[in-house]
Amino acid sequence: MSEVKEVPYNLVRTKEVVGVAVKNAHGEDLGKIEEIVLDKQTGQTCYIVLSFGGMLSIGDKLFALPWDIATYDPEEECFILDIDKDKLKNAPGFSKDNWPNMADRAWNESINKFYNTKSHWE
């Protein structure tokens, strides 16, 4: 049986990120991370998928957020987004049963335009 090695502090397994709380800079709860989207060619983390808006996970809307707009706060043990709830409510989202084609460049450009970020293809 192989020994499990301790992972350096800056590295984390995806299962340790899924379910982590997300707040904004004002400390308001924005939801939790449901999924992480990777570029399978480069290994680059492209998006975190945030659930937001429902009660007890019922009616939650999902949002793909560019990875680079989130920072981790080790004291709060959550991710912080510099976005207010109203902007998030108006963000392009999708249902858990109807995911967009995240490999589509037009979709990617619309998300990056909304959050004022660069595409991971750039």
Side-chain angles (χ1 to χ4, degrees):
M1 186 193 281
S2 65
E3 184 179 321
V4 176
K5 294 183 179 182
E6 188 174 323
V7 178
Y9 181 75
N10 291 1
L11 302 180
V12 64
R13 295 168 32 185
T14 55
K15 73 178 191 172
E16 295 169 4
V17 175
V18 172
V20 171
V22 178
K23 297 179 181 181
N24 65 17
H26 302 290
E28 297 174 306
D29 182 28
L30 297 180
K32 66 179 182 173
I33 296 177
E34 291 291 330
E35 191 66 68
I36 299 169
V37 180
L38 305 172
D39 181 320
K40 66 182 176 182
Q41 295 290 322
T42 66
Q44 179 180 8
T45 303
C46 301
Y47 300 103
I48 54 174
V49 177
L50 173 72
S51 65
F52 172 74
M55 297 278 289
L56 303 172
S57 297
I58 299 169
D60 280 3
K61 190 172 181 183
L62 300 179
F63 300 90
L65 303 158
W67 175 258
D68 57 357
I69 70 168
T71 57
Y72 185 73
D73 182 334
E75 290 181 15
E76 292 287 324
E77 296 183 346
C78 70
F79 284 90
I80 305 294
L81 298 176
D82 189 15
I83 188 170
D84 64 34
K85 281 187 171 185
D86 289 333
K87 181 166 180 144
L88 188 57
K89 286 177 186 175
N90 294 314
F94 53 96
S95 74
K96 68 177 183 172
D97 298 323
N98 191 21
W99 282 54
N101 177 1
M102 293 183 181
D104 178 67
R105 285 190 185 257
W107 180 86
N108 182 278
E109 288 173 10
S110 71
I111 295 299
N112 286 288
K113 183 177 180 180
F114 184 85
Y115 292 105
N116 196 28
T117 59
K118 290 186 178 184
S119 169
H120 67 280
W121 286 308
E122 292 181 25

